[in-house]
Every structure is written in structure tokens, then in C-alpha cells.
Amino acid sequence: MGMVFGKIRVETPKHQVIHSTPHYEIRRYPPAVVAQVTYDPSQFGGDKDGGFAVLANYIGAFGKPQNTKPEKIAMTAPVITKTPESSGAKIAMTAPVVTKEEEKAVTMEFLLPEKYQRAEEAPEPVDKRVVIREEGERKYGVVRFGGVASEGVVAEKVERLKKELERDGYKVVGEFLLARYNPPWTLPPFRTNEVLIPIE
């Protein structure tokens, strides 16, 4: 992925910073085309990042691209993961109560390079788990942090950012996204992560 000590040398999404505070930024992102896969981590032995290989194969990050052209698609940063709202749906109570984090579906997204302006311009995936879709313009409250994006750290950042956004009069309109800019082998001090919360 062309990294030297965590310096990002791949295309990252253009955005406009509308407002900046010492704690967070409000950003507007233009429309984009994304490749995404939604999965239950238990399909990958409990690995929350199991979908990475599926998307990497689609773009041809480590070999022949798994798309119908086949066309190699440049890797971009960040890799985005989110837990779709639907998976947070309350399931009717039964006994015994078993709570397992792994049962939550995870959606992982790669942003496709800017040259793909519409979903149909992107090569069609061979693996039907990969979905190509268009995202419209969107607005987020964003906080950036280094180190490992562990669940505990992310939960804390999300909680604090939500509070700050609501305190400052922004309306939160969806679940948070986690954006990671470096490959997993990057040393923690050189990693860059962001939590993005969609706002109106």
C-alpha cells in the first residue's frame, strides 16, 4: 500500500472542512462510489476485519482482480467499517440470554478512486458478496486519533463526539463509521484513525 512509517501515499477522499474546533471537525464529503461487503464476523472465525480480503480480491490488491473486466483498481484509504443500524434491532427476549458481540453484522467499505463517478462505471465484482453503490453528498462530525482502534477506544471517542456535537446544536442522523488509514501491519504510533458521525 506504499507506506513508509505510516505516511499515506494512496488516494484519500476529498472533503471540505466546514467548521473546526479543538476537539472535532465538521466535514462535507462529495458523492462517491464504494465497494462494500456485509458479513457476520463468525464467517471469518470471529475476525471483524474478515471482509478485507474479499474487497482486496475485488480490486486486485494482492493478485488478479476478481472483477469481470478484470481491471486492477487502485487501493484508497481509509478502509471504513460500520455496524449497520439494522443489526442493532432488538431481538425478542428468550431464555437463556446469550450476548455475543460477534452476532452483529459488520459492513466494510473501500472507497473507489475518484475516476469512478457512477456505480456502473466500476468493474462488476465476481464475488456476489461485494456490492457497488453510490453515496450522495454527506456531512459528518469527525474526530481523528492515533494508535490501535480497539473497541473500547472507539466507543469512548464515539460517546464523546456525540455529546460534543449535540451540545453544539448538531443533529446526529445515523450510526458512526470507523475509518482506518493504514494497513494492519503499521506500527500503532504511526496509525491514523477517524470516527465519523453523520449529521444533518
Side-chain angles (χ1 to χ4, degrees), residues 27-46:
R27 295 182 192 164
R28 181 183 286 120
Y29 284 86
V33 177
V34 302
Q36 71 174 37
V37 58
T38 299
Y39 53 95
D40 178 335
S42 66
Q43 297 169 312
F44 298 99

Side-chain angles (χ1 to χ4, degrees), residues 150-169:
S150 67
E151 275 180 37
V153 168
V154 170
E156 193 186 306
K157 302 280 180 202
V158 169
E159 218 34 57
R160 187 179 306 160
L161 179 56
K162 255 189 190 153
K163 281 199 178 93
E164 287 171 345
L165 290 171
E166 284 165 353
R167 180 198 64 207
D168 295 346

Side-chain angles (χ1 to χ4, degrees), residues 8-81:
I8 301 154
R9 293 201 178 162
V10 294
E11 191 180 309
T12 56
K14 289 189 172 55
H15 61 266
Q16 183 190 357
V17 176
I18 304 171
H19 180 62
S20 191
T21 80
H23 304 291
Y24 66 84
E25 283 184 346
I26 300 295
R27 295 182 192 164
R28 181 183 286 120
Y29 284 86
V33 177
V34 302
Q36 71 174 37
V37 58
T38 299
Y39 53 95
D40 178 335
S42 66
Q43 297 169 312
F44 298 99
D47 181 3
K48 284 207 158 53
D49 289 333
F52 187 87
V54 177
L55 293 174
N57 287 340
Y58 163 66
I59 67 170
F62 307 118
K64 184 175 180 285
Q66 302 289 302
N67 61 60
T68 51
K69 280 242 170 62
E71 179 179 315
K72 203 168 169 60
I73 300 166
M75 181 78 192
T76 64
V79 171
I80 293 170
T81 43

Side-chain angles (χ1 to χ4, degrees), residues 31-187:
V33 177
V34 302
Q36 71 174 37
V37 58
T38 299
Y39 53 95
D40 178 335
S42 66
Q43 297 169 312
F44 298 99
D47 181 3
K48 284 207 158 53
D49 289 333
F52 187 87
V54 177
L55 293 174
N57 287 340
Y58 163 66
I59 67 170
F62 307 118
K64 184 175 180 285
Q66 302 289 302
N67 61 60
T68 51
K69 280 242 170 62
E71 179 179 315
K72 203 168 169 60
I73 300 166
M75 181 78 192
T76 64
V79 171
I80 293 170
T81 43
K82 58 186 177 186
T83 306
E85 289 105 313
S86 57
S87 71
K90 291 278 175 277
I91 298 161
M93 277 300 287
T94 57
V97 179
V98 182
T99 48
K100 264 195 26 225
E101 187 56 25
E102 280 73 41
E103 286 168 1
K104 275 194 169 168
V106 174
T107 296
M108 182 177 276
E109 294 180 347
F110 283 9
L111 290 142
L112 297 189
E114 212 184 355
K115 69 171 190 169
Y116 301 106
Q117 291 285 304
R118 302 179 57 86
E120 55 268 24
E121 290 172 12
E124 204 180 310
V126 172
D127 188 330
K128 291 305 164 213
R129 290 175 295 179
V130 178
V131 176
I132 308 300
R133 63 178 190 81
E134 291 170 27
E135 289 219 312
E137 185 182 271
R138 52 234 180 275
K139 218 159 91 174
Y140 294 108
V142 184
V143 68
R144 176 169 276 211
F145 60 101
V148 178
S150 67
E151 275 180 37
V153 168
V154 170
E156 193 186 306
K157 302 280 180 202
V158 169
E159 218 34 57
R160 187 179 306 160
L161 179 56
K162 255 189 190 153
K163 281 199 178 93
E164 287 171 345
L165 290 171
E166 284 165 353
R167 180 198 64 207
D168 295 346
Y170 294 102
K171 187 175 187 303
V172 171
V173 292
E175 297 295 311
F176 78 90
L177 311 179
L178 171 63
R180 288 170 295 172
Y181 284 82
N182 316 87
W185 54 85
T186 307
L187 293 171

